[in-house]
Amino acid sequence: MTSWQQAAADDAALMNDFQTICRFGGRLSGTGQDEAAMEWALTRLREVGPDVRRVAVPYDGWRCLSGSLTLLGDTPVNLECVPLLRSASTDALGLEGTVLDLGAGRQEDFERAGDAVRGKIVLVRHEYPFSKGHVHRRRKYDMAVAHGAAAFLIANPLPGAGPLSGSSGRPRDGAGIPAAYIDHEGALALCAQPRARVRLLIQGEELRDSMACAGILDLPGGRDSRIVISAHMDGHDLGSSALDNATGVAVALAAARILAGQLGPGTPGLRICFFTAEEWALAGSARYLADMAATERHALKLNINLDTVAGDDTLCALISDYPALAGVVESAATRAGVPVSHWLPFMPNSDHANFARHGIPALRLVAGFDKPQSCVRHILSRGDVPDIILEGEMRNALAVTCAMASLALGMTDQELDALKSGSTCPRI
Ligand SMILES: [Zn+2]
């Protein structure tokens, strides 16, 4: 056993913290569950260091008032649906239209259908989010809007797993179309007849002046520079957001406990950032970083973002088009004695993306990359519950996180700045 594995094994509170976070519920921003979980986390952080802050950040809040989908015909059938966060509303009677099945709903599917999309209620499929060729829900939604669709339905391809939950990414008062997740069985019903007609009803409410928050622990070292470990606290309300992201928060808390003793005059400081409104198109971390003074942001040298770090026995670092991070990942994996692959292309699927866009070398540690059959498939669904998480996976993620952060804490500012070299990550 490596010393990092030993340190990870010795952290007595890891699994208890994980279970505690899950007990706050799915922690959807706006429900108060994320705020309550954050208050608890701030208390935990204060046990590690005194400089703990709660930073309020505005975001475009929204609440679903009602959502329903009816397959019309001689005998109308109600199908389960979950409106996307920030979906456009239909009028009070709902929107009636013809369904157009676009299969996966990739660019070639929209191009093939061309003008036939206009005015239709398009049906596409959700894809396992952590894979090399993945096309994100929001890109499919944007293509539907661009092609003139009247509404957007996205089906969970997994039988018996229910619908999913996710954001449309539509900005406040922005143009958009009604959009909802449906389950596999609902998609089968819609495809069982040609030119199926449905009525989609979605009523949502803009919540002006909504505030999300970031919970920050700052542990000083010997110089101004900081290594940042982040994880988002918020989630979705179908399950208990165990994978996504109680795993990341619990591992970040444990990493803070373990690494606090490593800081000294020769090291940069360590900052732990817990975000909310991540599931709202990464709004919380975007605003936190945008509002920060440029000098403070410049001091952030590396972001290790923990999001869905258990649920499978494989780990991958998504290194956001910062090729120099590959060496850090490989070296840390060796020191931790836990294999970690890496994937170079920029994947804007968690808070690391906002760090990367500000020119800060950033990676996301994720479990189950390119393993669509792993337990990580339960992400965003009612199946995202604590029972599917294995303790050994959590402890491996912790050992790797500590090894990566420790490696960075041992680097000079010059060495840390060199991690930016060769990056083609899109900048803000
Ligand atoms: Zn997440």
Side-chain angles (χ1 to χ4, degrees):
M1 192 178 266
T2 68
S3 60
W4 288 121
Q5 285 174 328
Q6 190 65 56
D10 289 346
D11 187 88
L14 175 67
M15 295 312 288
N16 197 35
D17 282 352
F18 166 71
Q19 296 284 351
T20 301
I21 297 161
C22 294
R23 279 197 289 273
F24 285 98
R27 307 181 305 283
L28 181 69
S29 284
T31 61
Q33 292 178 348
D34 61 329
E35 298 270 340
M38 187 67 86
E39 284 307 313
W40 169 85
L42 292 174
T43 305
R44 296 292 280 147
L45 289 174
R46 278 188 202 100
E47 294 163 14
V48 183
D51 187 358
V52 173
R53 283 169 293 150
R54 185 185 184 286
V55 181
V57 286
Y59 78 107
D60 292 345
W62 178 91
R63 178 165 53 206
C64 180
L65 300 173
S66 62
S68 66
L69 177 67
T70 309
L71 175 56
L72 302 174
D74 295 340
T75 313
V77 180
N78 285 328
L79 303 175
E80 198 174 356
C81 84
V82 174
L84 299 193
L85 296 180
R86 302 207 48 75
S87 167
S89 292
T90 64
D91 65 31
L93 296 175
L95 169 85
E96 281 191 24
T98 304
V99 174
L100 178 65
D101 180 11
L102 289 181
R106 290 171 157 247
Q107 189 171 347
E108 57 270 28
D109 300 311
F110 278 95
E111 282 171 4
R112 197 180 309 115
D115 243 15
V117 173
R118 193 160 298 280
K120 299 290 191 336
I121 297 179
V122 297
L123 169 63
V124 305
R125 305 302 182 288
H126 175 87
E127 295 179 36
Y128 183 69
F130 310 122
S131 57
K132 292 174 179 172
H134 164 251
V135 178
H136 196 277
R137 163 189 64 253
R138 283 199 296 275
R139 277 201 55 211
K140 298 182 180 191
Y141 169 83
D142 289 344
M143 286 190 281
V145 173
H147 280 76
F152 176 81
L153 298 174
I154 178 165
N156 184 355
L158 301 176
L164 303 171
S165 182
S167 164
S168 70
R170 184 181 67 92
R172 170 161 295 172
D173 301 323
I177 56 176
Y181 265 113
I182 62 173
D183 61 10
H184 173 73
E185 291 71 20
L188 288 183
L190 294 180
C191 295
Q193 49 181 286
R195 301 176 60 78
R197 300 238 349 135
V198 296
R199 183 187 308 117
L200 176 65
L201 186 142
I202 296 176
Q203 296 278 284
E205 176 185 32
E206 295 282 1
L207 298 176
R208 309 271 164 189
D209 308 319
S210 289
M211 298 299 279
C213 65
I216 312 294
L217 165 66
D218 202 66
L219 296 166
R223 42 189 211 264
D224 290 341
S225 47
R226 294 285 183 274
I227 305 304
V228 178
I229 297 176
S230 61
H232 71 87
M233 180 64 89
D234 66 310
H236 287 283
D237 52 4
L238 294 174
S240 39
S241 302
L243 283 161
D244 182 14
N245 183 30
T247 60
V249 175
V251 169
L253 276 171
R257 287 190 287 269
I258 293 170
L259 293 166
Q262 302 240 324
L263 304 174
T267 74
L270 179 68
R271 183 171 295 184
I272 307 295
C273 296
F274 292 144
F275 296 113
T276 62
E278 188 270 355
E279 303 287 5
W280 300 68
L282 314 180
S285 59
R287 192 61 190 252
Y288 170 73
L289 287 165
D291 286 353
M292 186 181 283
T295 48
E296 184 181 358
R297 205 164 48 230
H298 185 71
L300 308 181
K301 299 300 185 189
L302 172 67
N303 170 230
I304 299 167
N305 183 47
L306 307 178
D307 191 350
T308 315
V309 295
D312 188 60
D313 61 358
T314 61
L315 286 168
C316 180
L318 311 178
I319 58 175
S320 318
D321 242 327
Y322 284 85
L325 290 180
V328 175
V329 172
E330 283 167 15
S331 183
T334 302
R335 292 179 192 205
V338 177
V340 185
S341 62
H342 62 265
W343 179 245
L344 180 62
F346 178 62
M347 294 187 96
N349 55 15
S350 186
D351 293 313
H352 64 290
N354 288 324
F355 286 85
R357 287 184 182 118
H358 277 287
I360 300 163
L363 64 85
R364 172 186 180 168
L365 189 67
V366 67
F369 187 72
D370 245 355
K371 290 184 71 179
Q373 303 308 318
S374 71
C375 275
V376 177
R377 72 183 187 278
H378 295 295
I379 191 166
L380 305 176
S381 81
R382 64 190 180 207
D384 187 358
V385 294
D387 291 357
I388 62 176
I389 301 298
L390 300 180
E391 181 171 349
E393 296 165 356
M394 292 284 283
R395 297 208 181 272
N396 277 347
L398 176 56
V400 167
T401 300
C402 289
M404 285 196 292
S406 170
L407 204 66
L409 291 169
M411 293 165 77
T412 64
D413 282 359
Q414 207 173 10
E415 287 168 331
L416 289 166
D417 284 335
L419 296 176
K420 297 179 186 180
S421 65
S423 173
T424 55
C425 175
R427 301 288 171 88
I428 285 176

